[in-house]
Amino acid sequence: MHTTPLAPKCGVEVTGIQLAEAQGDALDAIRQTIYQHGVAVFRDQDFSPEDHIAFAKRWGGIDINNYFPLEDEYPEIAVVRKKPDQETNIGGAWHTDHSYDQIPAMGSILVARTLPPQGGDTLFAHMGAAYDALSDELKAEIAGLEAFHTADHVYSPDGAYAKTDMGSELRGQELKTGATHPVVIRHPHTGRKLLYVNYAFTINFVGKTREESLPLLQQLFAAALTDDNQCRVEWAPGSVAIWDNRTTWHNALNDYHGHAREMHRITLSGEALAA
Ligand code: OGA
Ligand code: MN
């Protein structure tokens, strides 16, 4: 297995591995790489839906996403799809998945199934590099804080997606979510400090209202994207990306109107987070 950085502080491309066959030491090496760099891209993969599910089970547990459509034959697989006549895409703003769960998903394995002729890249940002770049004053201000996360304003019947042409495709509108997490977590495996608030799902600091929280939250959201902590995954047929939701944020670019894009996602279970 060989890794090449996608950018100085975020992401790697991994060569010399077929995920469908990876297990044992190779799987351990893949895990460590993803925990550290946040996202890994694997090219030219021969990776059927069955391979996708089997690999995810070798990694650990699968969390079924509550909102995205599921693949008819394979309910472990969520379908991240934009049709040619749709305006809205899934994941088209900076976020990290499932932070609204008290035990958030570790990450996802996203497989390119149908790609637009161009565009549809995914951006990632490394939250360890983001934390490191905060000023000492800001680090001191957020030390020990906890924040509340929910997805209700995104997926509920009067939420963000319901107002769009993606609304009718989504499931789970009746669900209620909510979790509190430290604003700075330690990665459960690397021990690195990570900024763990995100633009999509973090609402307020515990003990403060939304209004009271917004100035500091917005300061952190702005600081989370530094000049050099991002990388871009350009998809091609056979590309698979695996990311760590604790280490990164991601943002699916919506720049391919009139074309279909369909990705298969399996969400990997995570562990409780701690400061
Ligand atoms: C996701 C997501 C990114 C993409 O599946 O969680 O945000 O590029 N998708 O489709
Ligand atoms: Mn996402």
Side-chain angles (χ1 to χ4, degrees):
M1 171 172 136
H2 184 73
T3 61
T4 316
L6 290 178
K9 295 185 179 171
C10 181
V12 287
E13 183 157 325
V14 178
T15 50
I17 287 244
Q18 279 294 325
L19 292 171
E21 285 146 29
Q23 52 188 307
D25 290 348
L27 182 53
D28 281 342
I30 294 169
R31 276 186 228 274
Q32 296 311 322
T33 298
I34 292 163
Y35 293 154
Q36 187 182 345
H37 299 284
V39 55
V41 193
F42 305 81
R43 304 293 187 188
D44 303 316
Q45 297 292 308
D46 189 0
F47 205 53
S48 67
E50 288 86 355
D51 293 331
H52 194 179
I53 294 165
F55 178 84
K57 288 186 173 162
R58 290 200 294 284
W59 183 297
I62 294 175
D63 281 7
I64 308 256
N65 179 277
N66 288 325
Y67 304 108
F68 302 165
L70 302 178
E71 224 285 332
D72 290 340
E73 286 173 63
Y74 307 99
E76 296 92 339
I77 297 178
V79 181
V80 178
R81 173 176 52 216
K82 184 181 174 225
K83 295 177 187 156
D85 61 351
Q86 280 178 307
E87 293 282 328
T88 305
N89 71 338
I90 289 175
W94 284 107
H95 66 284
T96 192
D97 298 333
H98 296 206
S99 72
Y100 46 79
D101 286 338
Q102 198 55 56
I103 300 189
M106 173 268 143
S108 285
I109 309 167
L110 195 67
V111 181
R113 295 294 181 203
T114 303
L115 292 171
Q118 64 253 318
D121 297 348
T122 311
L123 307 180
F124 289 84
H126 197 294
M127 290 301 116
Y131 177 79
D132 292 349
L134 298 179
S135 67
D136 289 344
E137 292 75 24
L138 204 45
K139 283 180 184 159
E141 190 174 352
I142 62 177
L145 291 186
E146 294 200 315
F148 175 74
H149 301 237
T150 178
D152 295 358
H153 58 297
V154 178
Y155 297 109
S156 67
D158 57 355
Y161 275 116
K163 301 181 177 78
T164 74
D165 60 2
M166 187 59 76
S168 61
E169 304 232 348
L170 298 184
R171 306 153 38 242
Q173 289 195 320
E174 70 295 345
L175 292 172
K176 292 273 172 261
T177 56
T180 60
H181 303 293
V183 169
V184 181
I185 58 166
R186 289 232 181 230
H187 191 282
H189 300 278
T190 68
R192 185 164 179 187
K193 282 189 172 185
L194 307 167
L195 183 62
Y196 196 72
V197 289
N198 73 88
Y199 184 77
F201 301 123
T202 312
I203 307 298
N204 60 277
F205 298 107
V206 172
K208 292 210 165 103
T209 65
R210 169 77 172 161
E211 289 66 35
E212 290 163 349
S213 303
L214 261 182
L216 180 55
L217 273 179
Q218 279 168 347
Q219 197 182 349
L220 292 173
F221 297 153
L225 299 171
T226 68
D227 287 341
D228 65 352
N229 76 334
Q230 292 160 64
C231 59
R232 175 185 280 256
V233 171
E234 295 177 35
W235 298 93
S239 297
V240 177
I242 308 179
W243 69 79
D244 183 322
N245 281 320
R246 293 78 56 94
T247 311
T248 54
W249 284 3
H250 58 278
N251 180 358
L253 296 184
N254 188 8
D255 56 357
Y256 51 93
H257 293 305
H259 299 283
R261 179 178 184 271
E262 184 168 320
M263 316 295 273
H264 277 181
R265 180 177 125 185
I266 293 182
T267 315
L268 298 164
S269 307
E271 49 258 281
L273 301 176

